[in-house]
Amino acid sequence: MVQRTSSDSAASAEAMVMDLSPKRPAKSYGGSGGSYFDWSPSELPMLRAASIGAAKLSLAAGGLALPFYSDSAKVAYVLQGKGTCAVLLPETPSEKILPIKEGDALALPFGVVTWWHNLHAATTELVVLFLGDTSKGHTAGRFTNMQLTGSTGIFTGFSTEFVARACDLPQDAAASLVSTQPGAGIVKLKDGFRMPEGCDKDREGMVLNCLEAPLDVDIKNGGRVVVLNTQNLPLVKEVGLGADLVRIDGHSMCSPGFSCDSAYQVTYIVRGSGRVQVVGIDGTRVLETRAEGGCLFIVPRFFVVSKIADDTGMEWFSIITTPNPIFSHLAGRTSVWKAISPAVLQASFNTTPEMENLFRSKRLDSEIFFAPNSNSI
């Protein structure tokens, strides 16, 4: 028999009283080259409870996010635009320079150094979402990025003597090298400055485009899902997170369901809008709200969530705090109710055989997503 620990009970009780409403990020730093935004655990307490970090990078044309690494493993998702990202895995001799575009997902393990660049000729900003695990980071619920260069770069903290010795440079050259980049985190490159171009071959095994990948679920007039896991993006295993991109059509419903492997669901609304309900312990509805593009919310472990899109539909990108998540649904062809014996279902609801038959006869051909009918619009 599985026993609930006191820490599990405390976490569940805490989640019941937390503010779970969707939130937008705040600007952390930036300038003419772009900005870095993040969600604060003080504004969204579930970030701290789940040890999850969430941030967005927005680069203007010619913007460069200077090389950095993070204290957390992450999944990155390109929300808008196209550009270049370089990934330098630990103990590898060279970087992989990736052309990236909207819909691309990347798994970024611990210790990875990256830089991000939006093309000078770009007509739109390059916007990248980061979601990840902060359980081993400096601050629960928030990423800490370690800049390699710039006014907040690592070398600015070392003495000139140490930098000179490390780089085998004269001290005056070392002092100049460290001090000539006044930007912090994000800069705008001068027109005509040539950056290396991405290589399509480097994308292999590093990137999955969720808008082009084979669909894992495709329900006519209902919705579509692409799941990131260890099969289609092997680095997901090192990151320890699963992810998916879900798109549901106007007025469609996402079945009430929960993660059966003690995972948190972290959801960012990419576009569109809709209603969200979350139910927790003792059948208490802990969230009823309307979620819009640009907002993020977190569903606590084992809580049940359902969504209904507005007339324009709704699209969201989620991470789940396990690399190969398993979900259980409470409505539809694959729901637990279809597997439970009729007598038990009848007794559980304290209902009549006729009502049990009616209940069981519905949603025989539908699973996960339910297209609208005349009764639901």
Side-chain angles (χ1 to χ4, degrees), residues 309-353:
D310 290 338
D311 56 0
T312 58
M314 186 161 57
E315 178 179 335
W316 64 86
F317 185 81
S318 296
I319 64 165
I320 304 93
T321 55
T322 180
N324 293 297
I326 300 172
F327 287 94
S328 185
H329 293 275
L330 300 182
R333 182 175 62 84
T334 58
S335 77
V336 297
W337 298 118
K338 303 303 183 190
I340 289 177
S341 58
V344 173
L345 193 152
Q346 181 182 337
S348 297
F349 280 107
N350 189 28
T351 190
T352 64

Side-chain angles (χ1 to χ4, degrees), residues 165-186:
R165 285 287 299 275
C167 301
D168 192 21
L169 290 172
Q171 291 210 17
D172 58 345
S176 175
L177 178 71
V178 171
S179 63
T180 50
Q181 175 53 273
I186 299 172

Side-chain angles (χ1 to χ4, degrees), residues 241-292:
L241 302 168
D244 57 26
L245 177 70
V246 181
R247 290 167 284 170
I248 61 175
D249 298 325
H251 300 293
S252 289
M253 181 182 198
C254 182
S255 168
F258 63 95
S259 170
C260 8
D261 41 14
S262 190
Y264 291 94
Q265 300 176 58
V266 185
T267 298
Y268 175 84
I269 307 299
V270 176
R271 57 178 55 86
S273 60
R275 290 179 290 149
V276 179
Q277 291 187 358
V278 177
V279 176
I281 299 168
D282 295 329
T284 302
R285 189 185 308 156
V286 293
L287 178 66
E288 181 169 12
T289 190
R290 186 171 179 273
E292 299 179 333

Side-chain angles (χ1 to χ4, degrees), residues 189-219:
L189 300 177
K190 294 179 180 179
D191 290 340
F193 189 92
R194 295 191 63 180
M195 288 289 287
E197 296 182 0
C199 174
D200 286 333
K201 186 176 180 181
D202 282 346
R203 288 173 56 91
E204 296 176 6
M206 300 291 296
V207 181
L208 178 73
N209 188 277
C210 297
L211 300 178
E212 300 173 355
L215 296 171
D216 294 282
V217 177
D218 185 6
I219 307 297

